[in-house]
Amino acid sequence: MDVSGGSGQPRSGNDEPARPQSGPTAPAADGTPPDPAAASTPGTPGPDPQDPPKPAPDGPGAESPAPDTPAGTPAPETRAPQTPAPGPGTPEPGHTPHPPAHHAAGGEPPGTGRGGGPGRPPQRKPEPGGGLLMGRPFGVPVYVAPSWFLVAALITWVFGGQLDRVLPELGAARYLVSLFFAVAFYASVLVHELAHTVAALRFKLPVRRIQLQFFGGVSEIEKEAETPGREFVLAFVGPLLSLVLSGVFYLALLPVEPGTVPGVLLAGLMISNLLVAAFNLLPGLPLDGGRMLRAVVWKITGKPMHGTVAAAWVGRALAVSVLIGLPLLTQSGALGSDAVDNVGMDTVMDALLAAILAAIIWTGAGNSLRMARLREHLPELRARALTRRAVPVPADTPLSEALRRANASGARALVVVDSEGGPVSLVREAGIVGVPEHRRPWVPVSTLAQDLTDGMRVSAELSGEELLDALRANPASEYLVVEDTGAIYGVLSAADVERAFVKAMARPS
């Protein structure tokens, strides 16, 4: 049954009252989906899992994709599903990782993801982390991951060896110069990422953070661009800024005497930024060029998923090309070094670098496909379809009586109302499970209820990413779903949303 706001009087819903039957057990506290074969607590209202009820077309529970669970079954601290947040090596659309030497770019959702296991929506931390906080340009936190110090040491060692051949008079001081180059190079990478960030903020897309890590930088943009034109601009501004920086370093190099420390540093920064731009423009996800290709295909076909599939498969082909082609080019001398006829340490290092770059590109392309599928299925999550019917009860109502009323009306949730019929709290289903059946006549529902906060009221019109954002911003196990008029529509369980999320993700695109 449905409950109207204010009056506490039920409005028409399912004409057939639900039979008190055992149903599926609650999901575990970590959000694991319930076992449909297990029985619920005796006396809790709910439909027979083998004979699902026919929900009213205009009431909560209609078209619900999740198995029905009786009131009182979800376990405590069930968290709402989150959209994946990227982790290192698993960039999302809008992210551009850049490796320090042969520079890979990225593109997380947003890997995908940190937090969730296979088939489960990952949980995102309220505050982004990821290393040492360096500042908040444009209000976006910039973190330096611990892995950056490793790559800074590697660049210092490699560039220091090159300086020893060019400027042998420096001696041990060459490593200080090399360290300065490593820091300046990553400052250039930060400028590249800030270009993505400024463009995203200009298009009103939230940016979670920027992280500098082992293989470059990541700008974690939480939403997808709304049009292919914006997607193209958002991807292109990063390589464009790298090209501009390369030109600036070239102009600064012109009046500098060759063979000096400033000359070597400016030449190195010019070349490295040129490599950053060139590699990022390669047309395959997760690189910026892949996102530009995605935008073009999206514009032509009118379907963003088609663009993602095309750019992701080009990205996978690019990963194979890097894995095979980079060591061959290095060994042949095509990249400017002497040709190598035998297998030495340099050849092994080149092969290892190629394998790491190929793995990052291949993984990023796969993550982009998974995130595209997630975004494609997100609109299927609708608050109105997932809401449980609720019955209003006064605060001093015994639990056994409240459950009897719920059984009689086919409701699967309890809302505590005040003397005027206004909702004041939600009875926690985890609390119902913890009360033995023989004690329920003496336990008032108010002792099992959680006071309503503004964040626990959600609109029945919410769906997809908006619904997940609302639940993520205010973690709870149950939410009161209301109409635009303020009338009560029912109760939304975070466990039901999670099951619907898993089911949607399991369907092929």
Side-chain angles (χ1 to χ4, degrees):
M1 60 162 264
D2 301 332
V3 182
S4 62
S7 66
Q9 297 299 320
R11 52 190 171 90
S12 63
N14 193 341
D15 293 332
E16 299 181 11
R19 301 184 303 272
Q21 309 237 7
S22 61
T25 57
D30 63 355
T32 304
D35 180 2
S40 66
T41 304
T44 56
D48 187 341
Q50 302 301 326
D51 183 19
K54 300 177 181 178
D58 63 341
E63 305 178 29
S64 174
D68 285 337
T69 49
T73 52
E77 299 182 3
T78 303
R79 293 178 294 176
Q82 311 292 323
T83 51
T90 56
E92 63 181 84
H95 301 184
T96 309
H98 306 280
H102 295 277
H103 241 69
E108 273 213 115
T112 79
R114 187 175 16 245
R120 292 180 54 203
Q123 307 293 333
R124 193 176 70 182
K125 295 181 181 179
E127 279 295 323
L132 180 64
L133 178 62
M134 300 301 295
R136 294 179 178 271
F138 306 103
V140 177
V142 176
Y143 292 90
V144 174
S147 60
W148 177 86
F149 296 95
L150 177 61
V151 75
L154 180 62
I155 293 176
T156 301
W157 176 61
V158 173
F159 195 68
Q162 296 175 347
L163 281 177
D164 191 36
R165 293 193 293 270
V166 179
L167 299 169
E169 66 275 9
L170 286 178
R174 67 182 183 272
Y175 291 109
L176 289 177
V177 177
S178 299
L179 179 60
F180 178 83
F181 171 79
V183 174
F185 171 75
Y186 266 84
S188 301
V189 172
L190 178 59
V191 171
H192 180 116
E193 296 304 328
L194 285 174
H196 290 304
T197 296
V198 171
L201 296 176
R202 174 69 178 79
F203 295 144
K204 294 181 170 36
L205 301 176
V207 182
R208 184 171 178 241
R209 67 176 178 179
I210 296 174
Q211 186 185 51
L212 301 180
Q213 50 188 234
F214 186 88
F215 267 90
V218 178
S219 301
E220 298 183 4
I221 301 172
E222 295 186 339
K223 291 186 178 180
E224 189 178 68
E226 297 177 353
T227 66
R230 290 186 174 185
E231 173 79 356
F232 189 94
V233 171
L234 190 59
F236 180 63
V237 290
L240 177 62
L241 256 292
S242 294
L243 285 173
V244 170
L245 284 177
S246 181
V248 169
F249 288 126
Y250 171 75
L251 294 176
L253 181 62
L254 293 179
V256 176
E257 182 180 351
T260 62
V261 171
V264 172
L265 285 175
L266 289 172
L269 290 171
M270 177 191 69
I271 294 173
S272 61
N273 276 278
L274 188 61
L275 289 174
V276 169
F279 199 91
N280 273 273
L281 287 172
L282 292 176
L285 287 173
L287 308 178
D288 288 332
R291 295 181 55 214
M292 293 162 64
L293 174 62
R294 174 183 183 270
V296 171
V297 177
W298 177 4
K299 178 67 174 178
I300 294 173
T301 64
K303 297 181 181 297
M305 187 64 182
H306 289 180
T308 301
V309 171
W313 279 105
V314 173
R316 287 175 170 176
L318 181 62
V320 175
S321 300
V322 169
L323 179 63
I324 299 173
L326 184 59
L328 292 178
L329 289 174
T330 304
Q331 194 169 18
S332 66
L335 296 181
S337 58
D338 295 333
V340 179
D341 295 330
N342 59 333
V343 178
M345 182 57 67
D346 289 343
T347 304
V348 173
M349 291 299 295
D350 289 336
L352 179 61
L353 176 62
I356 294 174
L357 288 177
I360 290 176
I361 296 173
W362 183 279
T363 303
N367 287 338
S368 298
L369 281 174
R370 283 189 290 273
M371 283 310 304
R373 185 178 68 177
L374 181 148
R375 293 186 184 278
E376 187 178 48
H377 289 312
L378 273 184
E380 299 175 17
L381 302 181
R382 301 187 301 275
R384 190 175 293 278
L386 296 171
T387 297
R388 299 179 176 188
R389 295 178 180 176
V391 63
V393 291
D396 57 354
T397 305
L399 177 58
S400 59
E401 171 61 16
L403 293 178
R404 186 196 66 77
R405 296 182 189 179
N407 275 326
S409 61
R412 297 169 54 223
L414 301 173
V415 178
V416 178
V417 296
D418 57 21
S419 58
E420 298 179 355
V424 293
S425 58
L426 300 179
V427 177
R428 296 179 298 108
E429 294 182 318
I432 298 175
V433 173
V435 179
E437 189 173 5
H438 67 276
R439 286 189 49 81
R440 292 178 179 179
W442 291 275
V443 176
V445 292
S446 59
T447 62
L448 307 174
Q450 180 178 4
D451 291 341
L452 278 172
T453 62
D454 290 339
M456 291 173 63
R457 298 173 186 262
V458 299
S459 169
E461 303 304 324
L462 290 181
S463 65
E465 203 160 355
E466 290 183 349
L467 174 61
L468 295 182
D469 287 343
L471 304 192
R472 181 172 56 211
N474 301 278
S477 56
E478 291 94 17
Y479 300 83
L480 182 68
V481 181
V482 295
E483 298 280 11
D484 292 340
T485 61
I488 299 174
Y489 186 73
V491 172
L492 178 65
S493 169
D496 290 346
V497 179
E498 183 165 349
R499 280 192 292 270
F501 184 100
V502 172
K503 186 175 180 179
M505 287 299 295
R507 284 195 291 273
S509 297

